[in-house]
Structure formats: structure tokens, C-alpha cells
Amino acid sequence: MPKKKSFLSFIFTTVLLLAMVTPMVSAATEEQAPQEQAAVAAAASTGLQSYVDAMQPGWNLGNSLDATGADETSWGNPAVTQALIKKIAAQGYKSIRIPVTWDVHTGAAAPYTVDAAYLSRVQQVVDWAVAENLYVMINVHHDSWLWISKMEQQHDLVLARYKAVWTQIANRFKGYSAKLMFESVNEPRFTDGGTTDEAKSIQMLDELNVAFHGIVRASGGNNATRPLVLSTLEASPTQTRMDALYQTITRLNDSNLIATVHYYGFWPFSVNIAGYTRFETDTQNDIVTTFNNVYNTFTARGIPVIVGEYGLLGFDKNTGVIEQGEKLKFFEYLAYYLKSKQITPMLWDNGQHFGRTSFQWSDPQLYNMMKASWTGRSSTAESDLIHLKKGAAAKDVTVKLNLNGNTLSSILYGSQQLVQGTDYTLSGDQLTFKAAKLTSLTSSGKLGVNAVLTARFNKGADWNFNVILYNTPKLSNVQGTVSAFKIPAVFNGDTLATMEAVYASGGNAGPQNWTSYKEFAYTFTPSYTTGEISLLPAFFNEVNNGDVILKFHFWSGEVVNYKITKNGTSVTGTAM
């Protein structure tokens, strides 16, 4: 997910509206029809489809060579090392996308010479990846919005510069094997340059892709047949944009072309807005509908597809925007569905997932879920949270499992194996934790996570259940300003799921006022270490003076009301 721009901003509201009118996809649509299976098998027999299949799984070296500053460290990541590339290969990745921004490293005027040292640095990183036997993709990355976006107003200049850059890249790498591929341009976009006509944008992208194809193919060496990756407009998987790319690829009549789109999930879920806190039907159906369309447009017609970037948009703020269990279900299902369509995904990682110097995963559970998806499906559950209210009589807690073809093998508390029939029961997909066991696990009386129970299955990743003892969260009165407003909060072991904001006089308050549920980490964010909930400037920027009623929804099911009164830049908070 590129650092300096939002993804497909024009789709954000329309995708929600589409979800509201799209009928639920039946379970049958998730299975490939016999004709479709035959088409997949036929596509797989082609060399290029086999090439793309062999790239799975893929990983992005994000926010490094694509940084827009003076060098690859300008966005906060350390310089790329050979050790990092070795470690990524050791994690099981078969392909690496190396985004490259050429802008400040290219002469400002014709002949637009790329700085020799920078080109050599890109080559060095490519060589490290090649040495690890990885499939490698390099591209023209943030140049898309930095200067290519100005193509309508500066057509000849942009086209000349684009051609010059690709001519130099093609010549430098033409001796490399076919395991190196070129991507014409990342998320090609023209709106940043002022273009408002979609048809004009599609026409300019076609012109760029055709120019790119001609330059590479004419440069000789292995470039004559090198796999080339062409993107839809903004890498968006909307049907109109995919159809336009299909037409371009068809006209080029080249059997070594690959289509690419990006996917960051169903927008409301991916940023936690409009009450979409869970991996529910709309979010799942968005995966199904999107990649049925991608498959039908490209794969079924013999054009392999790479999802050059995937993840969740909320990760731009922090990886905790989406609750852990819901996040895991999204990644598990997406991996399964892409695999069923023979579409290769490449994880977007700007350093938030795999540490660039620690060489450790920030979320081992997520990595294990992704890794398991490379060979099959994992089991999940309707939640990874088991809440018990302090002082209340303990009851049995039943959780529905999503077995996904697997069977439950055991449940562990540390090294201790729970006893089926005594500590828990299993009836079909209904897993019931017995009250006596839950009581013993929370006997310390400590608020928060008291125990982690690990469910193991005959196949796939483990699933953790967090046993939480909580009490109703308490919020306190406070004075603040629109630039610094923090509500003192005693969370009492609970965690925040979402927030609603409505005017006392009626109507939704704050940004995106088509919904009362506000965007997590954009308008509000909790801090469990300091005991506060911050209302962010982006929230107050679109709040009128007067009283606003906030409803804080917690994962236990508790809802706590709170009133704020805005008067110019001053804000008063009052517990209710």
C-alpha cells in the first residue's frame, strides 16, 4: 500500500452501496462449476499460467526503493540488505515485487538519464533476489502520481520521459532470465494530474502500456519474450477497467503478458467504518464477486493474473484497526479464494509485517495463517474472544467453528490439554467451553486476558481463543481542544470495537456522515497503555458546534455513552 496516497478513493462510497444491493452469494457459487474447472486446467497447461502459479506466494519490498525522497531510507525503512532478501526467501516466499520510484533519480530534461549509481543499486537488490531463486518483479512505481499523472496536460513530455526510463531499465536487465519480469507502472492514475475523464485516463494508460511493450520487446536479449505485467487503471478490479486492459492485451497479441490488479478488501471492513467490525457476508461476498470477475475477464481467457498488492487499508494507520480474529479470517478466506481461481497474490509489506532488521514477524499468528494457506485451508471460528463479566455467574460459552474441511484435534492451555467432555464439548461445528473451566481460568480476578486457549486441527494453522475477564468500561469528564482531545478511560479489561457519533439534535456527526459509525484510527483511537480514547483532529474538522452523543461499542458487547460539546476550538467531554 503506497505511503503517500489513498487507494481508489473514488470507489470508497460506491463499493458500500454496491454491497447493499448485491444479493448474497450462495455457497454453491464458491465452488467451481465443472466447465470452470476445465477452463482453469486448460489455462494451467499454458506456460505463462504455470509461471504465475510458481510465483506463489509473493511479497512486496514496500516503502524502500519506491520511497520518493533522496534515497531508499527517506520513508523510515533502513537500506535493503542481502540478509533481508535471504530471510524472506527462507520464510517460504517464491516471488518478490521490488517497487522502484525513479523520479528524483532521473534527469529533469531529455534524455532523462537515470542516475547510474541508483540504477546499479536497483540492480544489486534484483541480483540478491535472483541469487535466492526468487521470481522478481520491478516497475515504475510512485512516478505514477508524481509525474505520469500529468500526461493529459504534458502529453509529449510525460511520454518521452516514460519511454526514456523504460529504455534504460530494459537495456540494463535484458540479459536476465525470464524469472525477472517488468511491470509497466504501479496503480496508473491521472486524477492527481487533473484528469477527470475516465475514458481519457483509460486511453492514456493504453498508450503507456503499448509504448512500454514496444520498448521492451525491441530492446533485444531475453526482453524479446520476458513476462510483462500490465495494470488496470489504478490497479482497480472494476469491470470497466478490467475490460479496457483486456482489450489492450488482446491487441498486443503477445502470449507473455500478465494482468495485475490490487486488492485491499471490502472498504468498510478494511478500514473499520460503518459498523463493519467483523468478517461478515458483505466482506466475504466482495472477495467472491471481485475475483469471479477477475477470473472471468482474464484467467479463463488464458491471461494469468497477479494481485500485485493485497492487505487491508486500515494497516496504513496500524495493524490493530481490524480485530485480530476478524483479520485472520479475512486473510484465510482471501488466500483460499485466490488459490481456487489460480490467481497469485503478493503481500504488501512496508515494514509493518516482517522486520527489516529483526527479521521477525510482527504478528506471528497472521504469518502462520498465511503460510498454512499456501498448501490448504485453516479452520477459524466466529470469534477469537471469550468474554466473562466479573462478578457474574459463569455460563457455558458456545462458539461456532468454521472447520473448512478440517477436524478439531485438541485444545491446549499452554502445555496442558483440555479434556473433551469435561472442559469442552464439540457437536458438529459447535464448540462449547464449560463454565467450570472458564471459572478456573479466570480465578485470579485480574481484568483482561486471563488465558489463551489454542485449538489445533488435523490441518492448517492453530486458532487462539482469548479468555477475557472484564467489567463495564468507565469514561471520565475532560476539557480539551479540537487538536488534542483525550477522554480518560478505564477499560476494565475490555477493548474498543467502534464508535458512533450523532448530534444531540439529530443526524450523524463527523466525517463520512452517511454513517454514524466512524472510521477507526482516523477519527478516534484508543490507548490501552495510557488509559484514554483520543478523538482526532480529522473528526473535529467535520463536526459542528454543539452537543454530540458518542456511543463506544466494546468487543464484550458493552456500549458506553458519552457527550461532547464543541464550541469553536474548545471541547468539553461529559460522562453519561
Side-chain angles (χ1 to χ4, degrees), residues 18-86:
L18 285 171
M20 300 307 178
V21 299
T22 302
M24 289 177 57
V25 178
S26 70
T29 65
E30 297 180 16
E31 303 299 327
Q32 296 174 357
Q35 316 86 288
E36 186 174 315
Q37 292 175 337
V40 169
S45 68
T46 67
L48 199 60
Q49 183 63 55
S50 297
Y51 175 100
V52 169
D53 290 344
M55 290 174 60
Q56 297 192 57
W59 181 84
N60 273 268
L61 181 63
N63 285 16
S64 285
L65 290 169
D66 55 317
T68 60
D71 63 29
E72 68 198 79
T73 69
S74 65
W75 280 0
N77 275 326
V80 179
T81 62
Q82 186 172 15
L84 171 65
I85 305 303
K86 283 179 175 291

Side-chain angles (χ1 to χ4, degrees), residues 9 16 82 86 125 149 164 185 242 246 291 307 367 392 396-397 401 415 447 450 478 526 539-540 543 552:
S9 57
L16 177 63
Q82 186 172 15
K86 283 179 175 291
V125 177
S149 63
V185 58
M242 291 194 296
Y246 175 76
F291 290 105
V307 179
Y367 169 65
D396 292 353
V397 174
L401 296 177
S415 60
L447 295 173
N450 279 230
V478 72
F539 172 71
F540 287 112
V543 170
F552 292 100

Side-chain angles (χ1 to χ4, degrees), residues 460-532:
D462 296 341
W463 182 265
N464 289 339
F465 293 97
N466 297 284
V467 181
I468 300 166
L469 188 66
Y470 80 97
N471 223 328
T472 304
K474 302 294 183 186
L475 308 182
S476 300
N477 299 344
V478 72
Q479 291 284 127
T481 67
V482 295
S483 60
F485 188 78
K486 301 176 187 297
I487 302 170
V490 179
F491 290 101
N492 284 333
D494 216 338
T495 50
L496 187 59
T498 187
M499 178 189 83
E500 287 186 89
V502 297
Y503 291 110
S505 58
N508 299 328
Q512 290 134 343
N513 61 10
W514 45 269
T515 176
S516 62
Y517 290 90
K518 301 294 99 175
E519 182 177 342
F520 200 110
Y522 175 69
T523 59
F524 71 97
T525 189
S527 173
Y528 301 105
T529 55
T530 59
E532 58 198 17

Side-chain angles (χ1 to χ4, degrees), residues 357-371:
T357 56
S358 69
F359 306 138
Q360 300 293 318
W361 291 95
S362 60
D363 187 343
Q365 195 179 13
L366 174 58
Y367 169 65
N368 289 337
M369 184 66 77
M370 292 189 295
K371 184 177 181 180

Side-chain angles (χ1 to χ4, degrees), residues 39-221:
V40 169
S45 68
T46 67
L48 199 60
Q49 183 63 55
S50 297
Y51 175 100
V52 169
D53 290 344
M55 290 174 60
Q56 297 192 57
W59 181 84
N60 273 268
L61 181 63
N63 285 16
S64 285
L65 290 169
D66 55 317
T68 60
D71 63 29
E72 68 198 79
T73 69
S74 65
W75 280 0
N77 275 326
V80 179
T81 62
Q82 186 172 15
L84 171 65
I85 305 303
K86 283 179 175 291
K87 290 292 186 179
I88 277 297
Q91 303 306 302
Y93 286 94
K94 303 300 183 186
S95 59
I96 182 171
R97 183 172 180 254
I98 304 174
V100 184
T101 297
W102 304 87
D103 178 50
V104 298
H105 308 287
T106 304
Y112 305 107
T113 302
V114 174
D115 178 69
Y118 187 70
L119 189 53
S120 293
R121 173 58 173 161
V122 173
Q123 184 176 10
Q124 181 182 47
V125 177
V126 169
D127 287 345
W128 290 339
V130 169
E132 298 306 315
N133 202 31
L134 293 168
Y135 289 84
V136 185
M137 184 191 304
I138 59 174
N139 68 3
V140 168
H141 202 79
H142 289 305
D143 306 86
S144 60
W145 57 268
L146 286 168
W147 54 272
I148 291 173
S149 63
K150 301 179 177 67
M151 188 171 176
E152 184 175 10
Q153 290 76 27
Q154 303 173 15
H155 176 274
D156 294 351
L157 185 153
V158 167
L159 188 59
R161 187 178 181 187
Y162 179 80
K163 288 180 176 180
V165 169
W166 267 116
T167 296
Q168 293 168 81
I169 299 169
N171 286 331
R172 176 61 69 99
F173 291 101
K174 63 185 178 184
Y176 282 65
S177 78
K179 290 193 81 168
L180 173 66
M181 70 205 83
F182 299 155
E183 179 187 24
S184 61
V185 58
N186 169 71
E187 295 183 4
R189 51 193 299 165
F190 303 95
T191 52
D192 285 327
T195 298
T196 57
D197 184 344
E198 176 93 354
K200 179 64 177 178
S201 292
I202 288 174
Q203 178 267 315
M204 289 188 292
L205 175 57
D206 176 77
E207 188 174 7
L208 290 174
N209 279 334
V210 169
F212 160 77
H213 177 266
I215 287 165
V216 174
R217 290 291 181 250
S219 61

Side-chain angles (χ1 to χ4, degrees), residues 6-27:
S6 59
F7 182 77
L8 306 181
S9 57
F10 86 101
I11 286 179
F12 282 0
T13 52
T14 58
V15 74
L16 177 63
L17 296 175
L18 285 171
M20 300 307 178
V21 299
T22 302
M24 289 177 57
V25 178
S26 70

